[in-house]
């Protein structure tokens, strides 16, 4: 792109000289001899930079600059001024000019200042472009989300993925999608064609974990009947995902650090240095900072892992994503179970959006799968949601039912009352029957009649079919 510069200067010699010098530099140059002409040009075309003399026959340069910046607050202006006006030049910089040149000036200084100003402009535009593209970034494959917090995380993930040797630490509460992010890092990296190996650091006892990670030589310990390759070797050329890294035993941490730093290691019981090319991605829902302070996690390993760091935001900090995720999980589950895709009732939607989701996305997925089963494929209603979620709007529901209970049939009143008692007793049928003054068997018959499968035990509802 050729940058366009407007020169505003009443001294013809200066104006023409400066114009020629800049044109020779490859810029497109327009010239104006007074303020009126300058503003007319400025209004008609886009300029990347304006070189502005302060003393003009019809207007003061400061006025012109203010008018320009009013119509385009990004307008880049360099002020040219003779000695007595230096104070005003400083004023103009305060008012938003990029810089000023004292006349007479060296043409080289002019060229340098113009180059620098335009460089600033390019950087500004770059930042703006990144900001906009981050906002429109496609989510990671198969991951749902369009909230600012989610998209910002996606953008960071993409960038880190591209730097294929940088170790990554993904932090976030349970169920926020850390494992999905780790996988996306692999898939988006130049290593995508290489192996993707995962190791859960909390699943195995220390010794087993060590031989799982590094492998062992034959005879390294009693059970080592044959040489075994470690996951590090299997991950060669690809990515090793260390899940729950916060649970890694302190004794293994220096060994992992060494592998991270040198890309070499030894099998348990082995002498040979084995060289690999592995990218390490780790995840944790623990507070590693705190663990470092209390000596439960090595600081050097922490810093080494945390070169590329990604924070997976909790669901409550991206509520806009709750309903799209809910619909996604509902559709998924309906497909798997061969059921119709159910509608979601407004009240249920409201409850989902307001709930704090301590178990994050995983909890939402479980809730939707359960709701689908309870609804039998009809609309998802508040009663199909777990109590802790339904309870968050209990006052509204009570008010609504008080309003419309006036004209109900006796049967309907009985049905609603039984439901309320059941809910109050948290589904405990013996307790509910006692409250209602009926036998447990009668209550069970009623429940079956109303089709409230959520209040039948698994065994009972199986027997029912
Ligand atoms: N943005 C998303 N879109 C679709 N599904 C998601 C999204 N985020 C997470 N999930 C799903 O939520 C569940 C939990 O995700 P994941 O296992 O990656 O969480 P985690 O942060 O590793 O949890 P933990 O700390 O408990 O191990 C998975 O079934 C995952 O597929
Ligand atoms: Mg996980």
């Amino acid at each position: 792109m050729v940058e366009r510069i407007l020169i505003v200067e009443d001294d013809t010699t200066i104006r023409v000289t400066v114009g020629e010098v800049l044109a020779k530099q490859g810029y497109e140059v327009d010239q104006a001899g007074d303020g009126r002409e300058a503003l007319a040009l400025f209004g008609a075309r886009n300029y990347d930079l304006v070189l502005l003399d302060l003393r003009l026959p019809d207007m003061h340069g400061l006025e012109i600059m203010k008018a320009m910046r009013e119509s385009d607050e990004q307008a880049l202006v360099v002020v040219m001024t003779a000695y007595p006006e230096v104070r005003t030049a400083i004023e103009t910089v305060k008012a938003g000019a990029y810089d000023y040149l004292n006349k007479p000036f060296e043409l080289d200084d002019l060229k340098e200042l113009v180059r620098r100003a335009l460089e600033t402009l390019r950087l500004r535009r770059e930042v703006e472009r990144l900001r906009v593209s981050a906002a429109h970034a496609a989510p990671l494959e198969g991951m749902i989300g369009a909230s600012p917090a989610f998209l910002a995380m996606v953008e960071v993930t993409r960038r880190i993925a591209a730097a294929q040797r940088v170790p990554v630490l993904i932090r976030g509460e349970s169920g926020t999608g850390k494992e999905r992010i780790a996988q996306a890092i692999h898939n988006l990296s130049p290593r995508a064609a290489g192996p993707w190996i995962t190791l859960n650091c909390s699943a195995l006892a220390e010794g087993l974990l060590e031989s799982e990670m590094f492998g062992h030589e034959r005879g390294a310990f009693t059970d080592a009947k044959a040489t075994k390759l470690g996951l590090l070797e299997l991950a060669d050329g690809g990515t090793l995902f260390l899940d729950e890294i916060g649970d890694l035993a302190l004794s293994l941490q220096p060994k992992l650090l060494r592998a991270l730093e040198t890309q070499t290691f030894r099998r348990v019981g082995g002498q040979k240095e084995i060289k690999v090319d592995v990218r390490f991605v780790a995840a944790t829902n623990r507070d590693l900072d705190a663990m470092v302070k209390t000596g439960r996690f090595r600081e050097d390993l922490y810093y080494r892992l945390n070169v590329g760091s990604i924070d997976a935001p909790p669901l409550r900090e991206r509520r806009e994503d709750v309903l799209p995720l809910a619909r996604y999980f509902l559709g998924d589950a309906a497909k798997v179970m061969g059921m119709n895709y159910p509608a979601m009732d407004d009240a249920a939607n409201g409850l989902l959006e307001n709930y704090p989701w301590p178990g994050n996305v995983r909890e939402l997925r479980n809730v939707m799968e359960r709701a689908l089963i309870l609804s039998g494929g009809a609309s998802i209603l508040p009663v199909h949601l777990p109590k802790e979620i339904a309870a968050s709007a209990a006052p509204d529901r009570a008010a609504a039912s008080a309003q419309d209970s006036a004209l109900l049939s006796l049967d309907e009143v009985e049905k609603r009352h039984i439901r309320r008692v059941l809910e109050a007793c948290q589904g405990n049928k013996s307790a509910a029957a006692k409250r209602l003054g009926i036998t447990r068997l009668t209550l069970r018959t009623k429940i079956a009649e109303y089709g409230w499968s959520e209040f039948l035990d698994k065994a009972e509802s199986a027997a029912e079919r």
Side-chain angles (χ1 to χ4, degrees):
M1 194 190 77
V2 177
E3 275 125 342
R4 191 181 289 154
I5 302 176
L6 175 62
I7 304 169
V8 188
E9 167 66 79
D10 60 333
D11 182 322
T12 319
T13 318
I14 298 181
R15 191 175 70 232
V16 173
T17 315
V18 168
E20 277 172 2
V21 166
L22 293 179
K24 227 184 248 165
Q25 297 286 111
Y27 303 116
E28 204 175 298
V29 180
D30 284 343
Q31 303 183 11
D34 58 35
R36 211 181 35 81
E37 201 184 341
L39 288 177
L41 278 170
F42 190 83
R45 311 184 72 173
N46 273 329
Y47 291 98
D48 299 298
L49 174 65
V50 179
L51 294 177
L52 181 63
D53 183 22
L54 282 187
R55 276 203 210 172
L56 292 160
D58 58 342
M59 291 168 84
H60 193 273
L62 196 57
E63 257 180 282
I64 299 176
M65 189 183 79
K66 280 187 182 148
M68 286 177 171
R69 288 182 61 85
E70 227 155 77
S71 74
D72 173 9
E73 60 178 16
Q74 299 281 335
L76 207 54
V77 179
V78 167
V79 164
M80 303 183 290
T81 174
Y83 170 73
E85 285 234 85
V86 168
R87 288 188 61 97
T88 329
I90 294 167
E91 285 296 298
T92 57
V93 170
K94 281 192 193 146
Y98 173 76
D99 207 342
Y100 64 90
L101 266 175
N102 285 324
K103 289 198 277 194
F105 47 79
E106 297 290 327
L107 286 173
D108 279 344
D109 291 341
L110 170 79
K111 284 192 239 171
E112 176 56 23
L113 183 53
V114 167
R115 196 194 57 71
R116 196 154 49 78
L118 290 173
E119 176 68 20
T120 304
L121 182 72
R122 275 192 290 271
L123 286 176
R124 255 195 227 158
R125 287 186 180 152
E126 173 76 14
V127 168
E128 180 64 12
R129 212 178 30 249
L130 283 176
R131 200 182 60 74
V132 174
S133 71
H136 294 279
L140 302 183
E141 199 183 330
M143 286 187 84
I144 307 296
S147 60
F150 182 77
L151 290 178
M153 186 213 63
V154 167
E155 185 56 24
V156 172
T157 304
R158 283 183 186 286
R159 273 185 231 169
I160 289 181
Q164 60 155 329
R165 276 174 194 282
V166 170
V168 186
L169 178 62
I170 306 167
R171 288 180 295 202
E173 292 174 15
S174 180
T176 44
K178 295 185 294 297
E179 186 162 356
R180 293 289 295 264
I181 296 165
Q183 214 152 21
I185 291 174
H186 175 69
N187 293 339
L188 292 169
S189 81
R191 297 173 171 265
W196 158 256
I197 305 283
T198 78
L199 176 58
N200 189 322
C201 301
S202 70
L204 295 172
E206 198 174 319
L208 281 176
L209 186 68
E210 181 175 12
S211 86
E212 199 60 23
M213 196 182 297
F214 301 105
H216 59 71
E217 298 292 350
R218 190 172 156 194
F221 42 88
T222 339
D223 285 340
K225 304 261 185 302
T227 302
K228 181 174 169 236
L229 299 188
L231 294 184
L232 260 170
E233 278 165 275
L234 297 179
D236 193 18
T239 308
L240 178 61
F241 175 48
L242 301 170
D243 206 357
E244 319 283 0
I245 190 79
D247 294 335
L248 184 67
L250 264 173
S251 65
L252 292 181
Q253 292 181 15
K255 295 180 186 168
L256 174 63
L257 177 64
R258 183 165 172 273
L260 254 159
E261 283 180 333
T262 62
Q263 297 270 323
T264 59
F265 67 98
R266 292 195 185 100
R267 292 194 194 118
V268 177
Q271 296 302 317
K272 199 168 50 163
E273 286 276 335
I274 298 172
K275 180 112 192 102
V276 286
D277 170 25
V278 170
R279 183 203 213 148
F280 292 84
V281 177
T284 184
N285 54 21
R286 301 245 205 146
D287 182 353
L288 285 191
D289 268 320
M291 291 181 69
V292 166
K293 284 194 192 107
T294 53
R296 283 173 299 154
F297 201 87
R298 285 182 69 114
E299 189 171 23
D300 45 10
L301 178 59
Y302 175 56
Y303 284 126
R304 187 68 206 164
L305 276 174
N306 201 19
V307 174
S309 84
I310 298 178
D311 289 303
L315 194 51
R316 65 181 169 281
E317 282 171 20
R318 46 188 187 106
R319 292 189 186 277
E320 306 96 300
D321 291 339
V322 170
L323 292 184
L325 277 164
R327 283 191 284 268
Y328 171 78
F329 291 133
L330 205 54
D332 234 28
K335 208 159 39 176
V336 170
M337 297 182 212
M339 291 166 80
N340 283 334
Y341 182 95
M344 284 172 56
D345 164 85
D346 282 348
N349 281 346
L351 291 171
L352 293 177
E353 276 183 313
N354 285 319
Y355 182 65
W357 298 108
N360 294 295
V361 182
R362 180 181 295 112
E363 182 181 10
L364 176 58
R365 195 192 60 189
N366 294 340
V367 164
M368 294 321 291
E369 286 173 359
R370 179 177 173 274
L372 176 68
I373 295 168
L374 295 183
S375 76
S379 279
I380 305 287
L381 303 172
V383 296
H384 302 131
L385 302 175
K387 288 188 188 58
E388 62 275 20
I389 298 179
S392 50
D396 290 358
R397 250 193 319 143
S401 67
Q403 250 177 27
D404 60 18
S405 61
L407 300 169
L408 295 175
S409 70
L410 268 180
D411 280 347
E412 186 61 26
V413 171
E414 180 188 68
K415 181 176 169 187
R416 288 194 184 189
H417 185 63
I418 291 175
R419 170 127 215 145
R420 276 185 51 205
V421 172
L422 268 168
E423 278 176 2
C425 298
Q426 317 214 323
N428 182 325
K429 288 188 286 295
S430 305
K434 208 165 159 195
R435 282 269 190 102
L436 288 163
I438 55 179
T439 64
R440 199 174 175 283
L441 185 65
T442 309
L443 176 60
R444 225 191 61 77
T445 314
K446 295 265 179 206
I447 291 173
E449 219 172 271
Y450 298 140
W452 292 340
S453 51
E454 67 269 36
F455 290 117
L456 293 179
D457 300 327
K458 279 200 189 81
E460 284 176 343
S461 56
E464 209 73 37
R465 281 190 215 115

